[in-house]
Amino acid sequence: GADAPLATICSVLPPEENPGQSTGLIENFFAIETQTTPLTILNYTSLKANGICAPRRDTTAGMVFQSGITASLTAGKTTQARRKMADFIQDSLAQALVPYCKKLATGTRRDAIRATIEQFLTELQSNGNPDAQRIDSFSVDENAGQTPELTARGIFVYQILVRTLSSLDALVLSTQIGEGVVAISEA
């Protein structure tokens, strides 16, 4: 099965990365059964519809998974990276905020909670180092979901929105090649 290679790739790549990219891990660590009949797009569609993530042989990259697309039909929930990144951000923030739990809800502590959230997300956004960027943008709002009733019960809501980066799933090269092509500008 392909579950061990996929789990290995997912454990090595950062959560925001697409496991469909070329990593070299499948051929280096796993023996994958080869098909005598090549898989067609209909075969891949059927496998995906049945929840099977199958590797394929790319003539340039070697063995790769077709994509990081899940079987979900819900808009915005179709990539594996979305769920993995959500888990990573939620788990990381939960750990970072443990020191504030069960303490008095002073203004200073609530400001510190927001600062902790924003600092973590700012590091992921990495404006000062574009090569280290892991998310596109974010917002934090501690008022949108808060009500006096929740405050009285000791429940504090921080609405966190994070726009992740998409992967380069398809590169489209629009070309005109031939003797009759008229150049727009000289490069």
Side-chain angles (χ1 to χ4, degrees), residues 118-135:
E118 288 180 343
Q119 178 183 357
F120 174 72
L121 295 173
T122 297
E123 289 171 9
L124 294 180
Q125 192 176 22
S126 188
N127 287 333
N129 182 5
D131 289 338
Q133 182 181 17
R134 299 178 71 182
I135 64 171

Side-chain angles (χ1 to χ4, degrees), residues 3-63:
D3 53 347
L6 181 61
T8 300
I9 289 170
C10 288
S11 70
V12 172
L13 290 176
E16 67 274 14
E17 294 283 349
N18 185 334
Q21 66 184 272
S22 174
T23 61
L25 290 175
I26 297 174
E27 291 162 321
N28 290 340
F29 296 104
F30 299 97
I32 302 294
E33 290 181 31
T34 57
Q35 292 280 110
T36 54
T37 306
L39 293 176
T40 66
I41 193 64
L42 294 174
N43 298 123
Y44 281 115
T45 303
S46 176
L47 289 169
K48 184 60 81 174
N50 288 292
I52 299 169
C53 186
R56 67 173 176 81
R57 178 163 303 284
D58 181 88
T59 56
T60 304
M63 292 297 284

Side-chain angles (χ1 to χ4, degrees), residues 14 38 47 62 92 102 108 116 130-132 163 169 178:
L47 289 169
S92 298
K102 311 291 189 246
T108 302
T116 299
D131 289 338
R163 178 177 292 129
D169 290 341

Side-chain angles (χ1 to χ4, degrees), residues 70-79:
T70 68
S72 175
L73 299 177
T74 305
K77 295 187 176 184
T78 58
T79 66

